[in-house]
Amino acid sequence: MTYLVRCYTALFGLLLTTATASVGLADELRPELRHSQVSRLVTDFIEKSHYRKAKVDDELSSMVFDNYLDTLDGNRSYFIESDIQAFEKYRFRLDNAVQGNYSLQPVFEMFERYRERALTQLGYARDLLSEEPDFAKDEVFRFDREDEPWLRSEAELNDFWRQRVKNDALSLLLAGKTWEEAAETLDKRYKQNARRFEQLNNDDVFETFMNAFAHTLDPHSSYFSPRNAEEYRIQMALSYFGIGASLISEDDYVTIQNIIAGGPAFVDETLQKGDRITAVGQGSDGELVDVIGWRLDDVVDLIRGKEGTTVRLSVLPEGALPGAPEDVLALTRGKVKLEDQAAQKKVLTVPREDREWRIGVIEIPSFYRDYEAQQRGDKDFRSTTKDVRRLIEELESDGEGIDGLVVDLRNNGGGHLSEATALSGLFINRGPIVQLRDTHGNIDKYRDPIPLVAYSGPLTVLVNRFSASASEIFAAAIQDYERGVVVGQQTFGKGTVQNLYPLDQYFKPPAGESFGQLTLTIGKYYRVTGGSTQNRGVEPDIELPSLIDATLVGESTRDSALPWDEIDKVRFRAGKPLDTLIGELSVGYRQRLASNPDLDYLVGNIEALQESRHRKSVSLNIDERRIERESFRAESLARENERRSALGLEPYETIEAMEKAREDDELDIWLDEAAAIATDQAILRLEPTQTRQARL
């Protein structure tokens, strides 16, 4: 059985939406036969294998009903009270629907009403742009309606959207646009949003509902449509076959957002960032199919293909007007490696005690492994552990080597459990890394698969609230084995394990079709000390100030999250206790906190954000908003100039100058402090014990 530890954060965005062959408004949304087949199969897996041992009955149906409504309209800005009343007859029917005893039509009816409401309100929003609103009027817009009752009538709904449009426009006016410019920008925005609704198809509806169903049980069980299943595979393998360009949808065009280094387009050099794709053809002489107005993922489908084959793109260069001559480019598809999502290294130098200390940094965005390549017998298959081992060797063999190492797991949402245990093995000599308890109560112990240590020097692990799942396994193991020091913020708290079920292996789909895949929570993992990271995450040894509000982000904020618990600890041999070392490192950190202008600046920014973070409404009076905005900007400039003054740097004269400089040289205060703590570790490691005790 292959266990996966899924990321919490959404990985894919718009690129992962399900394909549709239509360009304009799709036909009436309706369930298909395979949807009923998939829902029955998913229901069977849930009842037999999900960790909660949930029964799909009327009680669960009611919960799914509420979750589906929240998924569609969590901010309560599309449906009105009468819509919800009309839907109530389906509250206790959804369990029968997913079991195949009742049609999925109610699911589609609810979605169709949602789409109708959205298109109507977006059309209304565009109509409002014909007349400039009164920005001098005193009124308040409540933008966060999550906990508010449903709006009672279409009149109330229209008034909400009137305020929403006014707020959108006001934001653009405060950014320096004229009313005419703001109206033009918003008209394009609302038109594009409406087009996305128009292009939704049956698979979109089904996937949305099935995820609402799965997320009712826990936040990490998910259904992937055939399209999204392929994107998930790409994320785990960090490679695919195509031309090597990232695309975005702008107006009616699919536009080149970036050229991926090393890919076919990068080598060919004819395709450029900003080029707009107007048509795609297969082979050297295949018909060029017009793709203006198509969904992004449909265009992606045409461009991707088998290695060595040719795809032709008709492109309108950036800045060229519609109707201008277009270029037809022929590119040979090849393997594209997503290097920006792989582990990366760098060296930071920290001046201390009349010398510069070299601190290696390895940033790990995710825990990946190319299982398909591994199963083919490819000894060079890609994995996080292989890459990190290589990076460590390069850091230690490059010039003067390194005095300490920081493993940066910030924003790493997880990945393969096998990679978490293997990566831990690079730093731990031998022993169990994590325990896993499955649906039936069976407990497995996952041990260090790599008996040799790749790095034995001072180790610092940097985490934040978005470090989840496999990241937490690694951080917890380093902490429990007393191998290194964990610094940053309390981690996310995802201590559940998912199994991947490719549904085509269990129920043969019709020729040319696929049923997608299911990731289902089938267990929880526990530290070798017995406690779970579920809900609580990993507490850092040294906590750094963070801009991420832990009351708004994390497993503990999710209603369907599984609870924390603990099991028996296992026998393992930890290193020498680090309590004394952590105490000394904490002293150094607190001294820097009191005297380091960068840390003081960070704390000031956090305090400034606290008030705005929990606001649910704003004034629609432009003078009030301008005063509020300028006050916030002035305070931000003052904090920045106070920092610069303390560092002996010239102050910025304007907020614009400050913002431009930030674009060119963004601060990473957390990484700098992690490097400072790693330097302290290196110094203390070399310092005689009696000297350290005397100094304390």
Side-chain angles (χ1 to χ4, degrees):
M1 181 177 289
T2 302
Y3 291 111
L4 300 177
V5 186
R6 284 205 60 240
C7 329
Y8 159 62
T9 53
L11 294 175
F12 312 127
L14 179 62
L15 184 59
L16 300 190
T17 53
T18 312
T20 178
S22 65
V23 174
L25 181 63
D27 294 334
E28 180 185 352
L29 299 172
R30 59 170 64 90
E32 300 175 18
L33 174 60
R34 60 189 170 87
H35 294 153
S36 295
Q37 295 169 326
V38 170
S39 64
R40 287 198 300 270
L41 191 57
V42 169
T43 300
D44 188 50
F45 275 122
I46 284 175
E47 291 194 316
K48 291 179 179 178
S49 303
H50 192 275
Y51 193 79
R52 282 192 186 274
K53 300 180 181 178
K55 184 178 181 181
V56 180
D57 55 13
D58 284 355
E59 181 180 359
L60 184 62
S61 175
S62 180
M63 296 169 63
V64 172
F65 176 84
D66 290 330
N67 200 37
Y68 186 44
L69 288 177
D70 283 341
T71 300
L72 296 180
D73 190 13
N75 199 46
R76 304 197 169 193
S77 52
Y78 293 99
F79 289 134
I80 60 176
E81 198 173 75
S82 60
D83 295 328
I84 307 305
Q85 291 171 351
F87 297 153
E88 275 294 327
K89 61 180 177 288
Y90 301 132
R91 177 176 290 278
F92 299 109
R93 296 185 186 179
L94 299 183
D95 56 327
N96 290 319
V98 296
Q99 290 171 326
N101 302 323
Y102 189 77
S103 171
L104 285 166
Q105 187 58 41
V107 170
F108 282 74
E109 180 186 319
M110 293 165 71
F111 197 102
E112 186 63 75
R113 178 67 61 86
Y114 164 64
R115 182 169 73 161
E116 290 172 356
R117 289 289 187 198
L119 291 173
T120 298
Q121 295 312 127
L122 287 167
Y124 175 67
R126 295 181 68 190
D127 290 341
L128 289 172
L129 297 173
S130 62
E131 183 178 348
E132 183 175 0
D134 181 5
F135 292 108
K137 183 179 179 181
D138 289 327
E139 58 179 333
V140 174
F141 173 52
R142 189 175 185 86
F143 58 85
D144 185 347
R145 301 200 68 262
E146 182 178 357
D147 299 320
E148 296 295 303
W150 297 102
L151 294 166
R152 292 175 294 181
S153 64
E154 292 182 357
E156 285 191 3
L157 183 62
N158 284 340
D159 193 56
F160 168 82
W161 275 81
R162 177 191 64 79
Q163 292 183 333
R164 176 173 172 173
V165 172
K166 186 175 180 180
N167 182 64
D168 289 347
L170 198 156
S171 298
L172 294 173
L173 294 180
L174 291 173
K177 289 186 179 293
T178 65
W179 163 250
E180 289 74 19
E181 292 170 334
E184 181 180 0
T185 298
L186 292 179
D187 187 64
K188 288 183 179 180
R189 181 189 302 175
Y190 300 149
K191 180 182 178 181
Q192 184 69 18
N193 289 342
R195 190 169 193 82
R196 291 186 181 124
F197 276 104
E198 290 169 350
Q199 293 178 334
L200 291 169
N201 66 14
N202 295 335
D203 279 352
D204 292 326
V205 181
F206 180 68
E207 184 174 26
T208 300
F209 171 71
M210 291 307 293
N211 276 307
F213 175 29
H215 293 166
T216 303
L217 301 168
D218 80 284
H220 307 289
S221 293
S222 299
Y223 168 72
F224 290 98
S225 67
R227 162 64 57 76
N228 291 354
E230 171 62 12
E231 296 298 336
Y232 181 80
R233 184 203 64 76
I234 288 172
Q235 291 296 327
M236 289 297 101
L238 292 191
S239 67
Y240 66 94
F241 292 108
I243 64 170
S246 56
L247 311 177
I248 57 173
S249 180
E250 292 184 334
D251 297 327
D252 286 335
Y253 292 98
V254 169
T255 303
I256 305 299
Q257 183 182 37
N258 203 7
I259 303 295
I260 299 173
F266 180 85
V267 174
D268 184 85
E269 295 186 341
T270 54
L271 192 64
Q272 300 295 319
K273 179 179 178 180
D275 285 351
R276 290 160 288 175
I277 299 173
T278 61
V280 180
Q282 304 301 324
S284 58
D285 55 2
E287 178 188 359
L288 284 168
V289 178
D290 188 293
V291 295
I292 296 176
W294 279 36
R295 281 174 52 146
L296 177 62
D297 49 6
D298 287 338
V299 180
V300 170
D301 267 353
L302 291 180
I303 295 175
R304 285 183 185 167
K306 293 182 179 180
E307 183 178 18
T309 59
T310 299
V311 62
R312 286 160 41 248
L313 306 179
S314 180
V315 300
L316 188 65
E318 182 179 19
L321 296 175
E326 298 179 3
D327 299 323
V328 178
L329 312 177
L331 295 166
T332 302
R333 298 179 177 104
K335 189 170 186 178
V336 180
K337 297 181 178 180
L338 305 179
E339 292 297 333
D340 61 334
Q341 298 175 36
Q344 309 282 342
K345 78 175 191 305
K346 62 182 173 182
V347 174
L348 299 180
T349 56
V350 181
R352 193 82 60 78
E353 298 189 353
D354 299 325
R355 62 161 283 194
E356 286 193 339
W357 298 75
R358 290 171 53 84
I359 303 300
V361 177
I362 296 180
E363 179 186 358
I364 306 176
S366 68
F367 288 80
Y368 49 88
R369 175 179 289 197
D370 190 345
Y371 266 110
E372 287 190 4
Q374 183 182 11
Q375 290 171 352
R376 291 195 305 267
D378 184 352
K379 295 181 179 180
D380 296 324
F381 69 88
R382 195 72 183 271
S383 80
T384 301
T385 304
K386 283 187 171 185
D387 285 350
V388 171
R389 180 191 287 275
R390 172 179 53 80
L391 295 175
I392 290 173
E393 291 173 354
E394 292 174 359
L395 286 169
E396 292 198 306
S397 62
D398 181 22
E400 302 173 33
I402 56 174
D403 299 299
L405 179 67
V406 174
V407 174
D408 188 353
L409 296 178
R410 288 176 298 170
N411 305 320
N412 182 324
H416 284 285
L417 173 60
S418 56
E419 284 302 309
T421 56
L423 186 69
S424 301
L426 295 182
F427 304 94
I428 295 168
N429 191 28
R430 60 174 57 87
I433 302 298
V434 65
Q435 305 183 76
L436 188 150
R437 182 168 67 181
D438 67 17
T439 305
H440 307 293
N442 302 315
I443 298 175
D444 288 327
K445 301 173 181 63
Y446 287 76
R447 304 182 66 84
D448 169 13
I450 303 175
L452 299 177
V453 173
Y455 175 77
S456 58
L459 177 64
T460 302
V461 180
L462 178 59
V463 295
N464 66 4
R465 189 62 168 171
F466 289 115
S467 303
S469 195
S471 295
E472 296 172 291
I473 291 176
F474 176 81
I478 296 301
Q479 199 174 58
D480 292 340
Y481 273 86
E482 307 280 2
R483 174 58 189 88
V485 179
V486 178
V487 305
Q489 187 182 17
Q490 178 188 20
T491 60
F492 190 88
K494 182 188 176 296
T496 57
V497 183
Q498 284 67 47
N499 191 42
L500 173 62
Y501 298 92
L503 298 180
D504 294 353
Q505 296 181 10
Y506 300 91
F507 196 97
K508 187 176 181 180
E513 294 188 0
S514 172
F515 285 156
Q517 70 184 35
L518 175 69
T519 56
L520 197 65
T521 296
I522 49 80
K524 291 172 68 175
Y525 60 76
Y526 299 81
R527 301 168 71 143
V528 291
T529 55
S532 175
T533 58
Q534 173 61 17
N535 243 300
R536 296 187 181 182
V538 176
E539 294 282 353
D541 299 309
I542 300 175
E543 185 173 4
L544 304 182
S546 176
L547 295 169
I548 306 168
D549 191 337
T551 66
L552 301 176
V553 175
E555 190 82 356
S556 59
T557 67
R558 315 193 106 197
D559 293 338
S560 61
L562 298 179
W564 178 90
D565 63 345
E566 58 184 336
I567 60 176
D568 293 338
K569 65 180 181 180
V570 297
R571 294 182 61 183
F572 69 100
R573 180 175 294 179
K576 182 180 178 181
L578 298 181
D579 293 350
T580 300
L581 173 64
I582 292 170
E584 295 176 82
L585 296 175
S586 297
V587 170
Y589 162 65
R590 286 194 295 270
Q591 289 173 345
R592 284 188 294 275
L593 186 62
S595 60
N596 185 325
D598 286 339
L599 286 172
D600 187 58
Y601 169 74
L602 175 60
V603 172
N605 280 350
I606 292 171
E607 292 174 350
L609 284 173
Q610 286 302 320
E611 179 181 352
S612 60
R613 191 172 264 154
H614 294 276
R615 289 182 62 177
K616 296 187 176 183
S617 60
V618 291
S619 170
L620 292 179
N621 181 294
I622 192 168
D623 291 332
E624 288 186 25
R625 287 280 288 277
R626 183 175 286 116
I627 291 171
E628 182 181 84
R629 177 175 181 270
E630 292 308 314
S631 175
F632 183 86
R633 285 159 59 88
E635 291 172 2
S636 178
L637 179 61
R639 286 194 301 274
E640 171 63 20
N641 281 338
E642 184 178 352
R643 181 187 77 86
R644 295 181 66 81
S645 177
L647 293 172
L649 302 172
E650 287 292 322
Y652 294 120
E653 293 185 5
T654 64
I655 191 77
E656 289 75 18
M658 180 185 76
E659 291 172 346
K660 178 64 171 65
R662 283 178 178 173
E663 292 177 5
D664 299 334
D665 185 23
E666 188 172 353
L667 288 172
D668 192 341
I669 298 169
W670 299 273
L671 182 58
D672 289 343
E673 181 54 32
I677 291 172
T679 303
D680 288 345
Q681 280 196 72
I683 293 172
L684 291 170
R685 188 173 185 174
L686 297 175
E687 195 172 83
T689 303
Q690 57 268 31
T691 302
R692 291 168 58 185
Q693 291 175 342
R695 178 162 46 78
L696 287 173

